[in-house]
């Protein structure tokens, strides 16, 4: 996999003065990527093999936040084969760094890249109770497509679908 170019910005972490780098994922990141996912989604993290498969298939579509020692977030985004629609499959920031604009930075970079590729629409799903994520996505211009989709990911796994035209 070819790593995407790095994008550096000052750290917003209180616990470190190390700047964060936004860059493409590399194979050596997989254990850290799995740790971030488990911390961000303790109720339902991806299995390691799912992240491995995502890397193998869509490795150029995973951006990570790296302080040089640890990862602190990632976004996984996948474009449909016709190049028209992109789905944000996962956006994660470790709990201790939430609320500092890191998810926004990841999303803005994805949106910038997708616009330059000529993608027409970005879509995602979000838990109806995840107010912080919904607020973030709405502030980026995403809107709801209908109401709550009951059982979207199976029994008890309701989701809202949100979309952004590019």
């Amino acid at each position: 996999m070819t790593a995407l170019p790095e994008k550096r910005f000052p750290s917003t972490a209180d616990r470190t003065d190390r700047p964060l780098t936004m860059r493409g994922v590399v194979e050596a990141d997989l254990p850290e990527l799995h740790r971030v996912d488990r911390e961000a989604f303790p109720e339902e993290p991806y299995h390691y093999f799912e992240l491995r498969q995502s890397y193998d298939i869509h490795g150029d579509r995973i951006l990570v936040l790296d302080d040089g020692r640890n990862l602190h977030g990632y976004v996984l985004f996948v474009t449909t084969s016709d190049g028209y629609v992109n789905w944000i499959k996962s956006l994660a920031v470790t709990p201790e760094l939430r609320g500092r604009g890191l998810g926004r930075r990841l999303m803005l970079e994805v949106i910038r890249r997708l616009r330059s590729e000529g993608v027409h629409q970005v879509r995602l799903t979000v838990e109806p109770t995840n107010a912080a994520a919904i607020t973030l996505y709405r502030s980026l211009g995403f809107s709801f497509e209908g109401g709550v989709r009951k059982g979207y990911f199976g029994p008890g796994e309701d989701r809202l679908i949100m979309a952004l035209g590019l």
Side-chain angles (χ1 to χ4, degrees), residues 2 15 46 53 71 129:
T2 302
R15 63 183 182 87
Y46 282 125
Q53 287 178 331
L71 298 184
T129 58

Side-chain angles (χ1 to χ4, degrees), residues 103-147:
R104 173 178 298 284
R105 289 179 184 203
L106 286 164
M107 288 296 294
L108 287 171
E109 180 62 17
V110 168
I111 291 166
R112 184 193 68 76
R113 291 175 187 219
L114 296 175
R115 279 192 175 119
S116 73
E117 295 171 11
V119 172
H120 295 272
Q121 185 183 61
V122 183
R123 297 178 65 150
L124 56 83
T125 65
V126 61
E127 289 185 25
T129 58
N130 191 341
I134 292 167
T135 299
L136 168 63
Y137 300 140
R138 291 196 61 167
S139 75
L140 293 169
F142 283 81
S143 58
F144 298 110
E145 289 195 345

Side-chain angles (χ1 to χ4, degrees), residues 1-162:
M1 292 281 150
T2 302
L4 295 169
E6 295 182 353
K7 184 173 184 178
R8 296 178 188 272
F9 48 92
S11 174
T12 57
D14 293 332
R15 63 183 182 87
T16 179
D17 60 354
R18 300 175 63 82
L20 294 173
T21 300
M22 184 186 309
R23 62 171 175 78
V25 71
V26 296
E27 186 172 10
D29 292 328
L30 288 172
E32 270 291 290
L33 190 67
H34 191 228
R35 179 194 57 78
V36 168
D37 197 68
R38 287 190 324 267
E39 288 181 17
F41 306 110
E43 301 295 317
E44 295 186 84
Y46 282 125
H47 293 284
Y48 186 92
F49 82 87
E50 292 171 302
L51 291 171
R52 174 71 215 204
Q53 287 178 331
S54 292
Y55 170 78
D56 289 342
I57 298 167
H58 308 291
D60 62 340
R61 297 302 205 185
I62 304 172
L63 299 177
V64 296
L65 295 173
D66 181 2
D67 72 2
R69 288 187 210 152
N70 299 297
L71 298 184
H72 296 282
Y74 78 92
V75 61
L76 168 58
F77 55 109
V78 180
T79 303
T80 56
S81 61
D82 63 5
Y84 192 86
V85 175
N86 182 280
W87 281 89
I88 304 297
K89 289 194 64 184
S90 188
L91 173 66
V93 174
T94 53
E96 74 274 6
L97 294 184
R98 288 183 184 155
R100 300 170 191 234
L102 299 177
R104 173 178 298 284
R105 289 179 184 203
L106 286 164
M107 288 296 294
L108 287 171
E109 180 62 17
V110 168
I111 291 166
R112 184 193 68 76
R113 291 175 187 219
L114 296 175
R115 279 192 175 119
S116 73
E117 295 171 11
V119 172
H120 295 272
Q121 185 183 61
V122 183
R123 297 178 65 150
L124 56 83
T125 65
V126 61
E127 289 185 25
T129 58
N130 191 341
I134 292 167
T135 299
L136 168 63
Y137 300 140
R138 291 196 61 167
S139 75
L140 293 169
F142 283 81
S143 58
F144 298 110
E145 289 195 345
V148 173
R149 300 279 302 269
K150 297 283 188 192
Y152 187 80
F153 285 139
E157 296 291 331
D158 304 340
R159 292 295 185 274
L160 290 165
I161 298 176
M162 299 182 78

